Amino acid sequence: KRINDLPGTVRHVIIIAAIPLVHPKIPVAAKAALSFLAGSESNNTGLVALVQATGLAQSLVSRWGTLEIMDDLNDHWSADTHVAEKATMVHMLQDLALARGFRFTFLSGDVHVAAVGHFQTNPPRELKEDHRFMLQITSSAIGNLPPPDAVTKALNANAQIEQFDPETKECMDNVFGPNQVLRASRNWLLAMECPDVPGAPVTKNGGGENGSVADNERTDGALLFQFRLEHPAYKETGQPDVLEVVVPLLVKPTSK
């Protein structure tokens, strides 16, 4: 209701979700192995006791006595317990976008990588008229170290186009290079909204590009997200990598 009550002058709405809605799913084999190791509260007593004996309990065992990694898995939107909830929220935002002309963007963290994904009408249509097009921007973390390379590679390899519903696809974007949807670097994000000048060219697509574009160089009402990514040689160069993602305005559709 609060979103629906926003004034008509609002064109971009950023939804803050602690955990990204669009993100590579944990490979089935890895998830099964973790589930086997963690078990349930009734059968993982021995494993928890072993972990506690190693001195790693504080970081691996939750306050309820289950392995923390399984708590993290169950927190993700791809967990079975959250699939219906995710669908309800996305469909609600699609309806609001159609009715009000809001361009919704999800901004998330928690997963210790930088990433970009999106929802989009399938078959594709012009993004400036696609009320189902919603970018997922993930920036995490500015301080904590990224996950091991093996984990990142496994998630990159498991990033597939998903049919979210009969009219919507869900996928990750290779903005960091070929077959690279995740960037395992410490990072932070800058967001800027460009002025909307009548008659100016409308941004046709989202996605990323190297370098930066000053906010006064665009007059199409786009929302810009600029990643600042730690470079392997950051300590020597003092300069992070910069990657820009453009979120185009939504031209209020007249029908589905």
Side-chain angles (χ1 to χ4, degrees):
K1 184 179 183 301
R2 289 184 179 181
I3 296 176
N4 191 49
D5 290 343
L6 290 172
T9 53
V10 174
R11 305 301 305 277
H12 290 279
V13 178
I14 298 175
I15 304 294
I16 306 296
I19 297 172
L21 278 80
V22 183
H23 195 71
K25 293 179 174 61
I26 294 175
V28 175
K31 188 172 182 179
L34 289 170
S35 299
F36 174 78
L37 288 174
S40 64
E41 288 188 76
S42 61
N43 66 13
N44 72 352
T45 305
L47 181 58
V48 169
L50 178 62
V51 173
Q52 288 173 332
T54 66
L56 298 176
Q58 185 175 358
S59 60
L60 295 180
V61 180
S62 74
R63 70 186 68 179
W64 297 283
T66 59
L67 289 187
E68 196 72 55
I69 184 65
M70 293 312 299
D71 289 339
D72 288 344
L73 290 180
N74 290 330
D75 282 342
H76 279 244
W77 288 98
S78 58
D80 293 340
T81 52
H82 297 305
V83 170
E85 183 181 4
K86 174 181 174 180
T88 297
M89 181 168 71
V90 171
H91 289 150
M92 177 188 69
L93 296 179
Q94 288 178 346
D95 291 342
L96 280 170
L98 180 65
R100 296 294 310 278
F102 296 144
R103 174 67 78 198
F104 288 103
T105 301
F106 298 104
L107 180 60
S108 307
D110 189 68
V111 291
H112 295 192
V113 295
V116 178
H118 69 272
F119 295 101
Q120 182 179 2
T121 295
N122 191 30
R125 58 191 297 185
E126 283 286 332
L127 296 188
K128 64 181 181 180
E129 299 175 353
D130 187 357
H131 67 284
R132 297 185 181 90
F133 179 71
M134 293 183 281
L135 272 174
Q136 167 70 65
I137 308 293
T138 303
S139 177
S140 169
I142 194 171
N144 293 332
L145 292 173
D149 286 344
V151 174
T152 305
K153 288 179 180 178
L155 291 173
N156 270 314
N158 205 49
Q160 301 175 358
I161 297 176
E162 304 279 348
Q163 192 67 31
F164 180 74
D165 65 27
E167 297 178 305
T168 311
K169 71 176 182 179
E170 170 187 350
C171 64
M172 301 297 297
D173 297 320
N174 295 305
V175 297
F176 304 107
N179 302 316
Q180 188 179 1
V181 301
L182 306 178
R183 173 74 178 264
S185 301
R186 287 182 285 198
N187 65 90
W188 60 278
L189 196 69
L190 175 67
M192 299 177 290
E193 184 179 12
C194 300
D196 182 17
V197 178
V202 176
T203 303
K204 294 184 177 180
N205 52 18
E209 58 186 60
N210 288 319
S212 61
V213 177
D215 55 352
N216 62 1
E217 293 181 5
R218 288 186 180 273
T219 53
D220 56 4
L223 187 63
L224 307 181
F225 290 96
Q226 291 182 352
F227 284 98
R228 299 297 195 275
L229 303 144
E230 185 177 42
H231 189 276
Y234 178 77
K235 292 182 179 179
E236 288 73 21
T237 65
Q239 296 294 324
D241 288 339
V242 177
L243 181 114
E244 182 175 274
V245 179
V246 180
V247 183
L249 272 181
L250 174 64
V251 176
K252 188 174 180 179
T254 56
S255 65
K256 292 186 180 181

